[in-house]
Amino acid sequence: MADSPIYFQWQNPNLRKTIYPFREKKLREFLQIYKEIDLCREMLGATVEAKVATELIQEVNRVETELSLAKLRKSEAEQALKALQQKHRLVLNSEKARKLRQQKVNLELKLASLEASKKRLERQVDWYQKFAPEHPFYEKLKAELKAVLGPYQEHQSQIQAILVDYNQELAPFETESKALQLKITDLGTKIKALNEDLRKFPRLGNNSTVNPRAAVNWLVFKYARELENKSQEELLQLIMERFDAEPQRFPKWLRYMVIHFSGMRYQSAHGSWADPKALLESMQVEELKEKIQKTLPAELDKLCDQAKAELTQRKNVSTSAREVRLLESQIAALGNPYNRQTALINHLSTQVAEKLKTKPNQQVLNEIKARKNQFPEWVWKEIVSRTELRLETKEEDWENLTPDERQERWKAENQHWRQIMDTWERRDITEWRKQHSLTLSLVVTRAVCNEIAEHIQHLRGVKPAAGLAAKPNYYINHQRNNPGGAYFKRPTSVVDFKQGTSILFLGWVDREPNAWQVARQIAGVDLLGSEGRPAKVGRWNASEQSENWSYGFQGDAMIRSARIKVPRTSGTGPKFETKFLKEWLRWTHEATVVEVARLADGDYVLTFETGQIGLNLRPLGRMLNHWDIFVGYVPPGEVEPTNLDDMLEREKILPVLAKAPLPSPIPAPLPTTMEGTVAFSLPTEMAAGESAETPEHVAQAAETRAGMQKLLRQWSSLTPRQRQVVALVAKGDTSRRIAAQLDITPATVRSHVSNAMRKVQAKNRADLQRELAPLNTNEWTETLNP
């Protein structure tokens, strides 16, 4: 992508790190969820393919076997390390080691005394050399220093020799100890990874059978592994191919949101964008003012006459009395010698604004870019952070001023620029809302739940009310004007979750919500219902003496209050103290329905929403008949937003991979639904405990797995020495050879073999070798401590 053109901010690596911290994760989740939906439609209620069942059993068997072996090897390494440490302690306490340590300590004490004398004499010799080289003490001190240096160096050499002997005595233990510790660490890491894999695997049924749900989970797990190392471009390639194969299943609004918003950070979009036309207008007006103020009187007369002529012409064709009066006032001001300069500036400023309105955004950005050398660095950085010029940024911290840049911003000489930037940035911090409804090319750098939902409605050709608080009345008004088409209600069945439906969540909070969030009473709608009005205060520390909730209104905001008794935490007096609770009802969240689908573990409502912006799953059971959930729906607009196709153009989304072939063929499209219907497809019903018939080779695979588990249990029951002896038997060694290698007697070898055969249930040595053939026992043929 580095050499490809950048059309969208997620194509710039620096922007992707900051704006889209969860991008690849959410793209993978999208593919995995739809893979699971398709597999459930195909497989639930059907017989599991033998190939899939065998593959799952074998994979579980492989991981469990690896895990058991890793645990055994770790246990053996820990035992070997323990024995080595015991030998190490014995060597440390040996007579030779104690003698070496004592010699070293004695020499270090003598060396310390010599070093003190050496430093004292060096300082004195240095002083006499600089200030009194002819003094007789100079030669005397030099001789004393020379006499000290000999023993000092000799003691150093003796200490080094002792250290060499000491280290040679201990080096083998330290080397082997480090090797064993490293082995134990590596095996611990492997065990952890294998346990994580096992937790991800679907659970097998009785006798290691594989039912359809387990088969689906297994295939989804395999697919997730395939996606792990794919880049953003490769993931988008797969997503685009899925879109192309099933266009009715994935409406354009969903494609737009998946491609341009997946993985975005959660933060309000307010202040993230400012109109570049407003900035260019303010700069051009500033330049205009400066020019007019320097204009000579004769030239000013000509400009005023020209302005009066333009305004007179407009007045003569105007049919609005109000506009005529306004134009006459402006003409009069241009003729007044005291006001004409200001009037001319106002007239020309209006022309500047009108001219800029007709210019495309890209042309305006190019004009600002051409002025880059006029701006201080901090100004340019702020311009980039709030306009589409950020697409070209090469800075990782593109949206934050450095400490030096912040200091520069507040210097007195930059007051002019500071005023321009502050006025521009704060002109309308919610301006992005209107801009996105006009042009879908504006993709904000961050968003919260209702902002994402508003974008989706814009894409559907609908312009909803801003904020959460206004949404209920918005949908109720549409329901009134379009009965049977639009609705606002508490969902009671699947049909209430049409594609494009907004889901609104209620909740009680202990701080007064702002005007965008507060839940106001609505005529004809009981927001709480009986379930939402619990009598008792649900606090773990509330005493039985506490009051019940009292429900009411504060203005038109719904509130509840209560006095509760809680245990006193400090001081003396009564055991309980009284606390006053007051809570406000607010709209807490908004999500948009994509479809309702069956997954391996149940039915879900698929939504596009925030958290980590992208596709999310909500259990269907939690969404139905609950007091705190409402849904609102308005049919999509008949006119598609103007530049939606441009934002979905394949050559822009995948400039490098647009013509690349798919890594795997696309499955044939499954039955889909149009927007406005419930996107819900159920497979043939299957009883909860039902499992598919197991073919013969699947049963054989299950039997093999059970046999391997039995063998591992038997192997675990052997002592470390028995495992080592048995491993050498498996290699074909005789008792005498094994005894020689392990420095034990042949009788001891035969005893170990006999005990091992009993535990493994082998009749003789040959039978023992056959039983152990599935295991790789080479690991235990290395020398172990008894």
Side-chain angles (χ1 to χ4, degrees):
M1 291 294 291
D3 299 325
S4 303
I6 293 178
Y7 301 101
F8 311 116
Q9 55 194 14
W10 48 263
Q11 292 173 330
N12 183 318
N14 293 319
L15 297 180
R16 191 160 68 243
K17 288 177 185 176
T18 49
I19 299 175
Y20 299 93
F22 314 106
R23 177 127 180 113
E24 285 80 5
K25 176 180 183 292
K26 296 307 291 186
L27 293 178
R28 290 189 188 96
E29 284 181 5
F30 177 88
L31 289 165
Q32 288 169 217
I33 290 170
Y34 274 98
K35 179 74 169 180
E36 185 171 352
I37 293 171
D38 293 349
L39 288 170
C40 285
R41 288 177 177 177
E42 176 187 347
M43 297 175 63
L44 292 190
T47 301
V48 177
E49 288 186 16
K51 179 182 177 182
V52 174
T54 304
E55 186 180 58
L56 173 55
I57 292 171
Q58 290 176 344
E59 185 66 8
V60 172
N61 178 43
R62 181 191 67 79
V63 174
E64 287 183 344
T65 302
E66 282 191 29
L67 179 61
S68 298
L69 293 176
K71 288 179 177 178
L72 285 171
R73 289 168 183 164
K74 184 170 181 282
S75 175
E76 296 231 346
E78 288 171 342
Q79 291 176 20
L81 179 60
K82 187 177 180 180
L84 183 67
Q85 289 170 340
Q86 178 63 27
K87 280 193 172 183
H88 195 187
R89 285 192 291 272
L90 291 174
V91 172
L92 285 173
N93 292 325
S94 68
E95 183 179 351
K96 182 178 180 180
R98 288 200 302 272
K99 185 177 179 181
L100 288 172
R101 283 201 301 272
Q102 187 60 49
Q103 289 176 352
K104 178 174 172 289
V105 170
N106 292 336
L107 287 169
E108 285 175 342
L109 289 172
K110 292 178 181 178
L111 189 66
S113 176
L114 290 170
E115 187 170 15
S117 299
K118 172 176 159 290
K119 288 182 178 179
R120 175 178 57 77
L121 291 168
E122 283 176 341
R123 288 195 300 270
Q124 291 175 335
V125 167
D126 184 59
W127 188 89
Y128 278 102
Q129 185 179 12
K130 289 180 179 179
F131 303 107
E134 303 301 328
H135 197 285
F137 278 6
Y138 178 48
E139 293 300 328
K140 178 185 175 183
L141 291 170
K142 281 170 63 178
E144 289 179 7
L145 178 59
K146 186 176 180 181
V148 168
L149 286 175
Y152 177 79
Q153 293 169 352
E154 182 182 351
H155 279 67
Q156 277 189 321
S157 299
Q158 290 175 354
I159 288 175
Q160 291 301 319
I162 289 172
L163 286 174
V164 169
D165 290 343
Y166 189 76
N167 290 334
Q168 284 178 348
E169 190 77 8
L170 301 177
F173 295 99
E174 292 178 356
T175 302
E176 191 174 351
S177 174
K178 286 180 181 177
L180 285 170
Q181 286 172 341
L182 181 61
K183 184 177 182 179
I184 290 168
T185 301
D186 291 344
L187 286 169
T189 303
K190 184 177 182 180
I191 289 169
K192 182 179 179 182
L194 290 169
N195 274 320
E196 288 177 356
D197 274 354
L198 279 178
R199 281 194 293 272
K200 294 175 185 175
F201 285 166
R203 293 185 178 181
L204 301 180
N206 296 331
N207 301 319
S208 298
T209 56
V210 179
N211 62 33
R213 297 186 189 281
V216 168
N217 283 328
W218 165 242
L219 293 175
V220 172
F221 178 72
K222 280 181 61 181
Y223 185 62
R225 277 182 170 176
E226 292 175 18
L227 299 179
E228 278 179 2
N229 297 320
K230 291 191 181 296
S231 66
Q232 174 190 231
E233 290 72 31
E234 291 170 324
L235 294 170
L236 283 172
Q237 173 86 346
L238 293 173
I239 290 171
M240 292 291 289
E241 293 294 343
R242 181 175 272 278
F243 288 165
D244 293 343
E246 303 175 84
Q248 289 186 335
R249 187 180 190 184
F250 302 102
K252 288 183 179 180
W253 70 258
L254 179 58
R255 299 182 220 175
Y256 174 97
M257 295 304 294
V258 168
I259 291 168
H260 297 298
F261 280 81
S262 286
M264 186 180 284
R265 58 192 173 179
Y266 184 88
Q267 186 181 348
S268 176
H270 292 351
S272 65
W273 182 84
D275 190 351
K277 291 181 181 180
L279 176 63
L280 188 58
E281 177 187 340
S282 66
M283 293 176 62
Q284 290 181 348
V285 168
E286 287 293 320
E287 293 167 355
L288 182 65
K289 287 179 182 178
E290 187 177 349
K291 182 178 179 181
I292 295 297
Q293 288 167 358
K294 295 179 180 179
T295 300
L296 296 174
E299 182 63 25
L300 190 62
D301 289 342
K302 290 182 182 179
L303 291 173
C304 288
D305 291 341
Q306 182 179 346
K308 284 191 286 186
E310 292 170 358
L311 292 171
T312 301
Q313 184 177 1
R314 284 178 57 189
K315 186 191 76 169
N316 292 337
V317 298
S318 177
T319 58
S320 168
R322 183 175 179 280
E323 184 183 12
V324 168
R325 288 195 299 272
L326 179 62
L327 292 170
E328 287 176 346
S329 174
Q330 293 174 352
I331 292 169
L334 286 166
N336 186 328
Y338 299 105
N339 298 333
R340 64 176 183 168
Q341 194 176 71
T342 301
L344 181 60
I345 290 172
N346 291 338
H347 172 67
L348 295 177
S349 297
T350 302
Q351 290 184 334
V352 167
E354 290 175 352
K355 187 176 180 181
L356 282 173
K357 284 181 183 178
T358 63
K359 288 187 177 183
N361 275 346
Q362 190 56 52
Q363 184 179 345
V364 173
L365 290 172
N366 289 339
E367 290 186 31
I368 293 175
K369 190 176 176 181
R371 294 169 172 257
K372 181 178 179 180
N373 293 335
Q374 300 177 18
F375 305 122
E377 288 186 11
W378 66 267
V379 171
W380 179 248
K381 196 168 185 178
E382 289 190 6
I383 293 172
V384 166
S385 71
R386 286 166 175 80
T387 67
E388 285 80 357
L389 287 172
R390 60 178 166 265
L391 294 181
E392 304 172 16
T393 188
K394 295 182 179 178
E395 292 189 43
E396 289 190 9
D397 196 12
W398 53 273
E399 58 185 335
N400 298 311
L401 299 181
T402 65
D404 289 342
E405 288 168 340
R406 286 196 297 271
Q407 187 176 1
E408 189 71 22
R409 192 186 198 278
W410 287 100
K411 286 184 177 179
E413 58 266 31
N414 284 325
Q415 182 181 0
H416 169 71
W417 282 113
R418 193 164 60 248
Q419 288 176 341
I420 290 177
M421 297 305 292
D422 287 346
T423 301
W424 174 58
E425 292 167 8
R426 298 171 187 171
R427 178 176 176 175
D428 184 355
I429 62 171
T430 66
E431 196 171 10
W432 56 270
R433 275 199 170 99
K434 178 182 177 182
Q435 184 67 17
H436 188 269
S437 65
L438 296 174
T439 168
L440 303 177
S441 61
L442 173 63
V443 177
V444 294
T445 63
R446 53 182 185 258
V448 292
C449 63
N450 59 292
E451 295 166 359
I452 288 295
E454 287 166 25
H455 284 334
I456 292 174
Q457 298 307 324
H458 292 161
L459 293 162
R460 297 178 67 243
V462 177
K463 293 188 178 181
L468 292 168
K471 294 292 173 65
N473 283 322
Y474 167 79
Y475 285 113
I476 288 170
N477 290 334
H478 275 274
Q479 177 180 268
R480 190 178 298 117
N481 298 326
N482 182 15
Y487 55 80
F488 178 78
K489 59 188 298 189
R490 188 175 279 116
T492 57
S493 69
V494 170
V495 297
D496 294 329
F497 293 104
K498 295 180 180 180
Q499 193 173 65
T501 296
S502 288
I503 307 174
L504 296 166
F505 298 81
L506 279 169
W508 292 100
V509 293
D510 56 7
R511 292 184 181 181
E512 185 173 4
N514 60 41
W516 301 90
Q517 305 164 334
V518 64
R520 301 181 179 90
Q521 55 182 323
I522 303 172
V525 178
D526 184 0
L527 288 181
L528 295 178
S530 58
E531 186 185 349
R533 288 186 173 85
K536 292 187 176 181
V537 176
R539 296 290 189 277
W540 66 269
N541 60 345
S543 164
E544 292 183 1
Q545 305 171 35
S546 301
E547 295 178 359
N548 289 338
W549 284 116
S550 174
Y551 294 85
F553 296 94
Q554 182 175 298
D556 58 354
M558 303 186 71
I559 64 167
R560 67 181 183 181
S561 58
R563 285 183 174 83
I564 65 170
K565 302 283 187 178
V566 296
R568 185 179 294 276
T569 57
S570 61
T572 58
K575 184 177 179 181
F576 293 94
E577 59 181 333
T578 302
K579 285 192 175 182
F580 180 73
L581 298 180
K582 184 177 182 181
E583 295 183 344
W584 288 259
L585 187 67
R586 62 154 285 191
W587 296 102
T588 60
H589 189 64
E590 183 174 7
T592 307
V593 175
V594 174
E595 67 175 272
V596 182
R598 173 154 293 178
L599 300 182
D601 59 343
D603 300 333
Y604 287 86
V605 180
L606 271 65
T607 61
F608 198 96
E609 57 181 290
T610 52
Q612 295 169 358
I613 298 176
L615 200 64
N616 287 269
L617 297 172
R618 292 185 174 273
L620 178 61
R622 171 63 183 89
M623 306 300 289
L624 296 174
N625 300 305
H626 282 268
W627 76 271
D628 56 344
I629 296 177
F630 282 81
V631 290
Y633 178 77
V634 172
E638 296 180 1
V639 180
E640 185 179 279
T642 53
N643 59 340
L644 181 52
D645 285 335
D646 185 58
M647 295 295 290
L648 297 176
E649 188 177 331
R650 186 183 185 88
E651 285 69 25
K652 289 184 177 180
I653 294 170
L654 297 169
V656 172
L657 301 176
K659 298 182 180 180
L662 254 190
S664 58
I666 288 294
L670 292 166
T672 57
T673 56
M674 297 292 289
E675 178 167 342
T677 61
V678 181
F680 189 78
S681 177
L682 295 179
T684 305
E685 293 300 326
M686 183 179 70
E690 182 182 350
S691 62
E693 294 182 4
T694 308
E696 183 180 352
H697 62 285
V698 175
Q700 291 174 352
E703 185 179 348
T704 301
R705 175 174 177 268
M708 176 60 76
Q709 295 305 311
K710 179 182 177 183
L711 177 58
L712 287 170
R713 287 194 297 272
Q714 291 171 338
W715 182 259
S716 300
S717 69
L718 302 181
T719 66
R721 177 59 86 193
Q722 288 170 352
R723 291 186 207 131
Q724 189 176 21
V725 170
V726 167
L728 293 170
V729 169
K731 289 180 63 179
D733 288 353
T734 64
S735 293
R736 288 185 178 278
R737 290 184 60 184
I738 295 172
Q741 291 182 63
L742 301 182
D743 195 22
I744 56 179
T745 66
T748 303
V749 172
R750 286 192 291 271
S751 176
H752 286 317
V753 172
S754 176
N755 289 328
M757 286 193 298
R758 176 176 52 80
K759 292 179 179 179
V760 179
Q761 299 176 358
K763 297 176 182 178
N764 49 44
R765 287 198 176 203
D767 193 20
L768 180 63
Q769 286 178 307
R770 283 194 300 273
E771 289 289 339
L772 296 178
L775 289 179
N776 176 13
T777 57
N778 292 332
E779 184 79 16
W780 287 278
T781 58
E782 300 173 359
T783 301
L784 291 174
N785 295 294

